[in-house]
Amino acid sequence: MTWDKIVVNLAGLALIAFIVWFFWLVKAQGVKAALTSAGYQEQMVLVKGGYTPDVIVVQQGKPVRLNFVRQESASCSEMVLLPAFNKSAKLPEGETVPVEFLPTDPGEYEFACQMGMFRGRLIVEP
Amino acid sequence: MNAQSLTTGVGSDTGGRVRVELAVSGLTCPTCVQSLESALRAVPGVARATVNLATGRAFVEYDPEKTGLAVVHEAMKTAGYRVGTATARFAIEGIMCASCVTKIERALTATPGVLTAGVRVGTEEAVVEYLPALTDLAAVKAAVSSAGYQVAGAPPPMSPPAVDAEAEAREREYRTLMRQWWFGAAVGTFTMIMSYPWLFPGLRELFPRESHRLWYMWAFMGAASLAVILYSGRHFFTGAWQALTHRAANMHTLIALGTGVAWVYSTIVLLFPRIFPSSDFLDVYYDVTVVVIALVDLGLAMELRAKGRTSEAIKKLIGLGAKTARVVRDGQELDIPVEEVLVGDVVVVRPGEKIPVDGEIVEGASAVDESMVTGESLPVEKKAGDEVIGATINKTGAFRFRATKVGKDTALANIIRMVQDAQGSKVPVQRIVDVVSGYFTPAVAILAILGFMIWYTFGPPPALVYALIVAVTTLIIACPCALGMATPMSLTTGVGLGALNGILIRGGEALQTAQKLQTIILDKTGTITHGKPVLTDVLVTGAQREDELLRLVGAVEKSSEHPLAAAIVEGATARGLALPGVEAFNAIPGHGIEARVEGHEVLVGNVKLMRDRKVAAGELEGHASRLADEGKTPMYVGIDGGAAGIVAVADTVKADSKEAIQALTAMGLEVVMMTGDNERTGKAIGHQVGIDRVLAEVLPQDKAFNVQKLQLEGKQVGMVGDGINDAPALAQADVGFAIGTGTDVAIAASDVTLIKGSLRGVVLAIEISRATMRNVYQNLAGAFVYNVLGLPVALGVLYPFLGILLSPLLAALAMSFSSVTVIANANRLKRWKPRPAGEGAS
């Protein structure tokens, strides 16, 4: 094996390791939803190439209100689904769309666009 | 009648005072009337205030110089009552300065009926809260123009604007994508030819290999393709970057990587040819960048078009709603937009018109075509006191009704919301797909790198070129989109299909389970049968005449409160018999009734009554037992001490029940009937409709338990019943089908709601779920097979054996084509038609 092949293969392996680490091994820190005076745990979620923040931490048993604001026109993200809570909402561009639900059981739930290209996680803490 | 000006509300005989009529909510008790009246009278400037509890309206007369509507409204609010207000929001053109704001606001608040008005300079819009009872949007807007400003745009859209906006946004995106495609395609054609000039006679001589002229041409192509990247392909790169910041990867990532790598390699070749060991490496691949971007843009545009068609069902439902309503306010009929109708408004409907909102008829009668909401094809007769449903069409007569549900509370709005929610839900199989697609994109990137490494290490020379092509092709051919779209597209179409056929499916889970059902339990009363007893048989002995017997029995039963009595009276009246008066009426609990009619002593009751009164039933007993075997309830009739005959009533089977049950059996389902009646009646009805397995004498509270027992036999069980009595059983079943009627259709907490009260809906629902799930599996299989076959070919697995290596251009074509195919297949589902009734299932 010539030196260039060794370099290419080593670089390739390093790149693969990086991909595995970057996409699968690192878990993002969650953002804790703020508690409003009305008793809601509220969090603004920006929809632009993904959900920001994409990991939201809430308390069990208190109603949650996620305010989605979609700032892009790609049709992929025009809907957000929370299958665990049987909720879905259309997100017209530029409008704030609140989605409300009550997390009764602790655990990790997903929210995503209809095609699953954008994903976020909702962590319900006991 | 005092003529009132509609715009000012000032009556001619009120001495300059303004008289307004306000619809008030929260009026529940007579004392409320007192407290609200005194609260209103306490407002300085209010001359008279009367509150009508029955109509829920307050009449206020005030001096406009001393007080205003806003003050009156505030006083009502403080007293704890709410007035139905509407808020309108519209854009105003040409607001330049803060002083314009005050001017417009003043003009708005001066309009009678306007409570508050706010104008924002930043967004150039006005938000106006007004009383629709007193003014309308047109008057509000007229006020704006009277101040010298223009309300932006044409008259407000009458149809729900969100749908239009969505369609418009889609159209805009489509046009952008098409422009991007044409630009990419134009540059692409040129680039493709000039990348290989030696293939074309003429060009071969003009641009020989390694000539300066060719270098310049390629440099120009590099710049042109950069323009394509920036214009046609920018969304891939920004999308990929945004995904990366979320530690995610998607289709954009793959396309951006593939086209980016090809462009960067080509540019390096062009600028630094000396770093490559041989001239074999010195070809450019700008064509890959340009053509791939163009093709994927085209694919996205086609996808968008097809997607727009998927949500047609919702559009059709929304299109059913009426745009305007004719309401009575201040004794005048006014045409107003349907959004401004308030609960309590009296709405006038003429023949041939659409009923705008849900309500109750107060005056008049008509036949109403409810097919669009309930699926029932025959017009339904309506009279005062009956419910009418918004969006249905009034056929024959004119009537007035009081609005009970408006806006988002109407049956149609509920149906639309339910369908939208269902379309947005997930089919359980999607969960597996989600897990796969979560790993898909990074995995493809890893495969591309591995492919590069293997081809570089073991591939034929020039290894670098092969490795590069393989990596780029792999990145481009992978299509996570087809995988992601496979289920949602079919689900949206399937749920919409159901809605258009009067079947509301709650979500993907119900849809997936419905096609797996093995057993269907049908509740007897109200599901298989009408749930209402009718007169079925009249038997006479000797010289009695049927009509004469029925006339006497009807007369007796008319005074009875027994539920079966009503059926006999109705049966007698239906035969055109006039029922005479009765004397000495006596109801004997558990036995029957006796009375004197036109001098005859008439007895109606069971066999015990006959024995008590020493009436020999004789041959009638045989008839009675035969009738009972048929599931009917026979009643003996004795006249003047002799047995005269039998009348029988029964709950009759709905016209299409038998046929629907046959269809279900033909579909391979086991049909079970559940009833609270005795075994004999149950079996009799079961025999009539062709059900062998009958669960009789099931107490209402045991229905759910019986469903569970069948489930313990290891079966997927569906339960059909009405949404109220059978709710626990519906919930226990794997799929609960609620038969709904009237305006409560969408509220029932079942998996599937059949708006039309017919069993045929169950057949349709299962057929639709089967068709949809078949479509889902086709899509999933297509998407999986495509990726599973496409990726190895792109990696060059076939090369050692057949010498086949895929071009990145073909990969782009395949990739675009695959996601379009998925959507096209989902749209194919729309052509599914219910089999016409009578044909049965094959």
Side-chain angles (χ1 to χ4, degrees), chain B residues 763-834:
Chain B
V763 181
L764 284 185
I766 293 176
E767 279 179 355
I768 287 177
S769 82
R770 287 189 178 174
T772 308
M773 289 312 295
R774 199 162 44 232
N775 200 269
V776 164
Y777 289 127
Q778 283 164 358
N779 274 348
L780 281 180
F784 266 110
V785 167
Y786 166 81
N787 281 305
V788 165
L789 290 183
L791 282 172
V793 174
L795 283 166
V797 171
L798 295 181
Y799 187 81
F801 313 107
L802 302 169
I804 294 174
L805 197 56
L806 212 54
S807 139
L809 306 184
L810 272 179
L813 202 63
M815 186 267 194
S816 301
F817 185 68
S818 75
S819 44
V820 172
T821 317
V822 163
I823 299 175
N825 189 42
N827 276 334
R828 204 173 53 88
L829 188 59
K830 270 199 320 208
R831 272 187 263 137
W832 182 90
K833 284 262 186 307

Side-chain angles (χ1 to χ4, degrees), chain B residues 463-693:
Chain B
L464 177 62
V465 171
Y466 277 113
L468 193 81
I469 289 178
V470 162
V472 168
T473 312
T474 306
L475 288 173
I476 286 165
I477 202 165
C479 186
C481 264
L483 215 52
M485 276 183 309
T487 35
M489 285 296 131
S490 310
L491 174 71
T492 309
T493 316
V495 168
L497 200 60
L500 292 179
N501 285 291
I503 295 154
L504 303 179
I505 300 162
R506 188 153 299 267
E509 192 155 359
L511 197 72
Q512 184 173 343
T513 323
Q515 54 108 30
K516 287 193 296 204
L517 289 178
Q518 293 160 302
T519 302
I520 290 269
I521 306 177
L522 306 174
D523 182 50
K524 193 204 85 176
T525 312
T527 302
I528 300 177
T529 65
H530 286 106
K532 191 177 154 239
V534 293
L535 178 72
T536 52
D537 299 82
V538 181
L539 296 176
V540 288
T541 55
Q544 276 291 344
R545 277 179 41 243
E546 255 188 52
D547 280 2
E548 180 60 18
L549 178 90
L550 190 56
R551 195 173 70 89
L552 296 176
V553 173
V556 175
E557 294 286 357
K558 206 172 170 186
S559 309
S560 167
E561 281 163 3
H562 196 273
L564 295 180
I568 296 173
V569 174
E570 216 165 84
T573 328
R575 293 198 188 184
L577 303 173
L579 304 179
V582 297
E583 294 162 55
F585 176 85
N586 180 27
I588 310 145
H591 287 76
I593 46 181
E594 60 180 342
R596 192 177 320 117
V597 189
E598 294 173 341
H600 299 289
E601 294 292 340
V602 181
L603 290 171
V604 185
N606 54 20
V607 72
K608 272 184 270 175
L609 180 73
M610 298 298 133
R611 278 187 204 132
D612 272 8
R613 300 300 151 102
K614 309 273 184 298
V615 174
E619 55 161 353
L620 288 181
E621 279 195 52
H623 289 299
S625 120
R626 176 180 57 82
L627 288 168
D629 279 340
E630 289 170 13
K632 296 167 182 169
T633 310
M635 281 174 275
Y636 293 92
V637 182
I639 297 177
D640 297 329
I646 287 180
V647 288
V649 295
D651 186 4
T652 51
V653 171
K654 288 181 192 169
D656 48 5
S657 287
K658 185 174 183 183
E659 182 203 311
I661 288 163
Q662 275 174 351
L664 288 172
T665 319
M667 287 164 90
L669 291 153
E670 182 196 12
V671 184
V672 179
M673 183 169 92
M674 185 147 76
T675 175
D677 287 347
N678 59 46
E679 187 97 30
R680 200 174 181 187
T681 313
K683 279 262 189 304
I685 299 277
H687 185 71
Q688 267 186 51
V689 294
I691 298 178
D692 298 327
R693 192 164 175 189

Side-chain angles (χ1 to χ4, degrees), chain A residues 4 9 51-52 73 78 81, chain B residues 170 173 246 424 434 456-457:
Chain A
D4 62 311
N9 282 304
Y51 300 111
T52 314
S73 59
E78 69 189 5
L81 312 182
Chain B
R170 277 234 173 95
E173 201 187 338
H246 289 93
D434 281 349
Y456 191 82
T457 315

Side-chain angles (χ1 to χ4, degrees), chain A residues 1 4-5 8-9 12 15 19 22-24 26 48-49 51-52 73 75 78-79 81 90 114-115 119, chain B residues 166 170 173 242 244 246-249 304 307 423-424 426 434 437 439 442 449 453 456-457 484-485 488:
Chain A
M1 204 178 262
D4 62 311
K5 289 184 179 173
V8 163
N9 282 304
L15 207 54
I19 290 175
F22 185 84
F23 289 109
W24 295 330
V26 182
K48 194 179 177 190
Y51 300 111
T52 314
S73 59
S75 64
E78 69 189 5
M79 212 159 177
L81 312 182
K90 279 240 154 101
Q114 210 179 25
M115 282 159 48
R119 289 145 185 280
Chain B
E166 193 190 306
R170 277 234 173 95
E173 201 187 338
Q242 277 161 350
L244 276 186
H246 289 93
R247 286 183 183 268
L304 211 59
K307 252 190 189 171
Q423 290 187 331
K426 281 197 174 179
D434 281 349
S437 59
Y439 291 96
I449 296 168
M453 284 156 60
Y456 191 82
T457 315
M485 276 183 309

Side-chain angles (χ1 to χ4, degrees), chain B residues 171-192:
Chain B
E171 186 58 35
R172 246 196 331 268
E173 201 187 338
Y174 174 77
R175 277 198 300 261
T176 312
L177 281 170
M178 283 312 277
R179 272 199 303 274
Q180 289 168 340
W181 141 250
W182 282 118
F183 180 62
V187 177
T189 317
F190 163 74
T191 318
M192 254 162 61

